[in-house]
Amino acid sequence: MASAPGAEPPTLSTIPRLRRLSRPGRSALGRANTPLARPSTAAGVNTAPAGSLDTQSAAPQWGVLGNFGGVRDDLFRAGIRMDGSFDYQTSTNIQGGPYQSLRGAGQLAVRSTVDMDRLAGLTGGTFNVTLTYRFGRGLTADQHFGVLQQTEEIFGRGRFPRLTQLSYTQRFGEFVDLKFGRLPVSSDFAGFACEFQNLTFCGNQPGNLVGNYWYNWPISQYAARLRLGNTDTGYLMAGVYQVNPRDLEDGFNFDPSGAAGALAIVEAAAFPTLPPFAYRGSYTVGAWYQTRGGPDLFLNREGLPLAVAGGVPLADRERSGLYGVAVQELYRPDPANPLASLSAFVRVTMANSSTSFIDRQETIGFVYKGFWAARPLDWIGFGIGQSHASHGLAQSIQRANLLDGGVRPIPGYERVLEVFYSLALSPDVVVRPNIQFINRPGGFGGRTDILVFGVKSGVTF
């Protein structure tokens, strides 16, 4: 995802397959209880890892490469599940940019989940490892759009292999869950499915705003998180992540030296059925704080704009923020089938304006899965969002204008609209054309609006 400001799991989310939660003593690979009837756009802590399809379904559903003559089935029975995905996104600018071009970027992901109960008799234990490799070029960067959120969420964070996850999860009964190891923040906190191509609507929102210290997928860091409760009724969760800039440049960095403090996050979630709705919703709120803080991005120690006066930035400025994610299922053509449903979402994130180039973002929209009986795996989606250029940046520009008599424009909101149609060529091959419209690119009025045609595609194997 965006090399700046952030990144989130690049997926086509999941073509509907049953997602089930594991109970104490039950296999983490073979889900044996009832389907989790939550809105399909709510990406919770037990949903699939990044990839175009659900890799933790109730029974093995191997991708386009099959089960290798039974080898994958044998490994699954032993407690080892291996999956992979190939995701690719193309974009072309119909309006905006210095010239029209076509760009494409992609990712290869390979992952394994090991049920330690089956393999070694460790009840409630699960081991996860994920490797990723990103490649290609992004239209946003090549065209120098100057937007706050890029048009292909999969691009960025280095075009080289990465260890994206190496973690161990241990459940203690039904309501206590501990995970530790090398983790991306987005694997647990502020979860939201990545069904759109524009980064405004994709995945974990805070990391897309404050990516200079909140590292989303595909970057992993030393981390631990504890969850009390479960994803059936609700939970409280807290996590601590080392903030180490070396993790940005080295995809296999295990050296903890060079850390710039720690990122602490707390989150609470509930999944009630609220009137007048007939189906469950997913409601999450959270807050974060980075222990060391950071330099002011816009002002020097004298309170003057760095861009004009230069000097040393104000030090130890607070890095913190709040977020909320609400996803509500609204309608099912068949009340007994949760895999075909219309869901709406609302997300809000606010970050400290002195240490973030983007200090607010709000998005709303819907995803309708299985809307067409003749093609039950096809989806449609519509989203509207706005990202706000930092208030601190606006103040800095205003002061610079006063100092030298300039007439530099003052940034505000960038507004984005995206609509997509998700075409399932098979349960494991998805092609998702989309149209993106960006008003006030970069948050500046008077700039030419940008219109982009994109295609988000994925294969699970």
Side-chain angles (χ1 to χ4, degrees):
M1 235 115 319
S3 54
E8 172 49 18
T11 80
L12 292 183
S13 192
T14 57
I15 285 182
R17 295 184 177 188
L18 296 184
R19 292 177 175 175
R20 306 189 180 201
L21 297 177
S22 56
R23 300 292 188 190
R26 303 306 294 265
S27 166
L29 301 180
R31 311 297 183 184
N33 42 300
T34 57
L36 178 61
R38 286 170 55 198
S40 56
T41 49
V45 293
N46 273 332
T47 55
S52 59
L53 300 179
D54 187 351
T55 59
Q56 295 184 2
S57 51
Q61 300 182 48
W62 310 120
V64 295
L65 298 183
N67 65 8
F68 295 108
V71 172
R72 295 174 84 175
D73 287 337
D74 291 340
L75 289 173
F76 181 83
R77 283 188 287 269
I80 302 172
R81 175 157 193 158
M82 300 186 68
D83 296 273
S85 62
F86 178 82
D87 295 271
Y88 195 74
Q89 298 173 17
T90 59
S91 300
T92 184
N93 50 320
I94 301 171
Q95 176 180 297
Y99 57 92
Q100 186 175 22
S101 62
L102 175 67
R103 294 290 182 266
Q107 176 183 264
L108 175 67
V110 178
R111 54 195 167 265
S112 179
T113 300
V114 180
D115 183 344
M116 298 305 292
D117 188 0
R118 289 191 194 179
L119 188 68
L122 298 176
T123 301
T126 306
F127 178 79
N128 283 281
V129 59
T130 303
L131 302 173
T132 59
Y133 173 67
R134 287 187 166 181
F135 57 92
R137 299 174 65 181
L139 182 70
T140 301
D142 283 4
Q143 286 286 326
H144 304 289
F145 283 151
V147 293
L148 299 182
Q149 299 290 300
Q150 63 184 35
T151 57
E152 51 284 301
E153 51 80 16
I154 204 169
F155 177 76
R157 293 305 200 189
R159 290 176 286 188
F160 48 80
R162 283 190 177 277
L163 175 65
T164 294
Q165 182 168 203
L166 181 65
S167 69
Y168 182 80
T169 304
Q170 181 63 53
R171 297 190 313 277
F172 301 93
E174 188 174 351
F175 300 107
V176 181
D177 187 312
L178 175 67
K179 180 192 286 188
F180 58 90
R182 299 283 303 183
L183 297 166
V185 184
S186 54
S187 66
D188 290 286
F189 289 91
F192 188 76
C194 192
E195 296 160 340
F196 294 81
Q197 183 167 316
N198 191 286
L199 191 59
T200 304
F201 309 105
C202 176
N204 175 298
Q205 197 175 49
N208 296 338
L209 272 63
V210 294
N212 54 333
Y213 62 89
W214 177 310
Y215 302 154
N216 279 347
W217 175 286
I219 299 167
S220 65
Q221 56 253 272
Y222 287 112
R225 71 106 177 101
L226 177 67
R227 187 181 71 210
L228 305 178
N230 59 44
T231 53
D232 251 339
T233 57
Y235 62 79
L236 294 173
M237 187 163 59
V240 179
Y241 297 77
Q242 184 192 59
V243 180
N244 192 335
R246 298 178 62 175
D247 293 328
L248 300 176
E249 305 301 329
D250 184 350
F252 290 84
N253 175 48
F254 289 96
D255 187 350
S257 64
L263 175 65
I265 313 173
V266 293
E267 180 176 290
F271 315 108
T273 301
L274 299 175
F277 305 112
Y279 306 104
R280 299 181 71 187
S282 172
Y283 299 89
T284 302
V285 294
W288 76 86
Y289 180 80
Q290 202 259 340
T291 58
R292 184 175 293 184
D296 196 293
L297 297 176
F298 314 112
L299 302 178
N300 65 19
R301 289 180 179 176
E302 287 71 43
L304 298 175
L306 286 165
V308 174
V312 179
L314 278 170
D316 302 322
R317 302 287 277 172
E318 181 178 313
R319 289 173 163 177
S320 61
L322 304 169
Y323 63 86
V325 182
V327 183
Q328 177 62 56
E329 185 175 354
L330 303 177
Y331 169 73
R332 296 180 191 173
D334 177 3
N337 179 18
L339 302 182
S341 65
L342 171 65
S343 295
F345 63 85
V346 177
R347 299 189 299 159
V348 178
T349 296
M350 297 177 289
N352 187 292
S353 64
S354 64
T355 52
S356 174
F357 286 104
I358 309 169
D359 59 13
R360 296 197 302 276
Q361 187 178 86
E362 301 90 25
T363 64
I364 62 173
F366 70 84
V367 174
Y368 196 170
K369 302 184 177 184
F371 70 98
W372 186 7
R375 297 195 55 81
L377 299 183
D378 287 5
W379 308 351
I380 54 174
F382 175 83
I384 301 175
Q386 57 182 15
S387 303
H388 187 264
S390 169
H391 179 65
L393 173 59
Q395 287 184 317
S396 176
I397 294 175
Q398 288 172 337
R399 294 185 190 183
N401 287 341
L402 289 174
L403 282 174
D404 61 10
V407 288
R408 301 173 185 87
I410 308 301
Y413 273 109
E414 169 183 285
R415 299 183 177 93
V416 179
L417 179 150
E418 180 177 343
V419 59
F420 70 74
Y421 183 92
S422 183
L423 175 66
L425 303 182
S426 78
D428 300 294
V429 181
V430 179
V431 176
R432 185 168 296 169
N434 60 82
I435 294 289
Q436 305 173 41
F437 176 74
I438 304 171
N439 173 247
R440 294 171 53 91
F444 292 98
R447 287 189 175 179
T448 301
D449 294 335
I450 298 172
L451 184 63
V452 169
F453 174 74
V455 178
K456 188 175 186 179
S457 58
V459 178
T460 293
F461 56 87

